Amino acid sequence: MADKENKVAENVPGQFYVDEGCIGCRLCTNDAPDNFRMTEDESTAFVFKQPEKDSETKDCENAMDSCPVDAIGNDG
């Protein structure tokens, strides 16, 4: 389970976030490219835009479910 106390600094405020446990596998950026990006050094992902429509929310939820290290959280 993602730790909201250890969020990646680049996350925008909102319900979805990535924590420091991210291993940079890029599954989330593939599942939800409208919401997740990799940091400049490509070491971790982060949420650059919170979902604005149901399809984006579903994509973010799919990314969270597929994360191999449970580094994506949802406080919504």
Side-chain angles (χ1 to χ4, degrees), residues 27-45:
L27 285 175
C28 60
T29 61
N30 290 331
D31 288 346
D34 293 333
N35 305 95
F36 291 86
R37 285 189 183 151
M38 297 302 293
T39 55
E40 193 170 310
D41 67 2
E42 300 195 17
S43 62
T44 60

Side-chain angles (χ1 to χ4, degrees), residues 4-57:
K4 64 183 175 184
E5 301 300 321
N6 289 313
K7 293 179 184 178
V8 173
E10 289 85 351
N11 287 299
V12 295
Q15 74 183 75
F16 288 97
Y17 62 90
V18 178
D19 76 7
E20 295 289 341
C22 176
I23 59 172
C25 72
R26 299 176 186 264
L27 285 175
C28 60
T29 61
N30 290 331
D31 288 346
D34 293 333
N35 305 95
F36 291 86
R37 285 189 183 151
M38 297 302 293
T39 55
E40 193 170 310
D41 67 2
E42 300 195 17
S43 62
T44 60
F46 66 97
V47 177
F48 76 93
K49 182 177 82 75
Q50 293 293 331
E52 296 175 346
K53 49 190 171 185
D54 290 342
S55 62
E56 289 181 347
T57 299

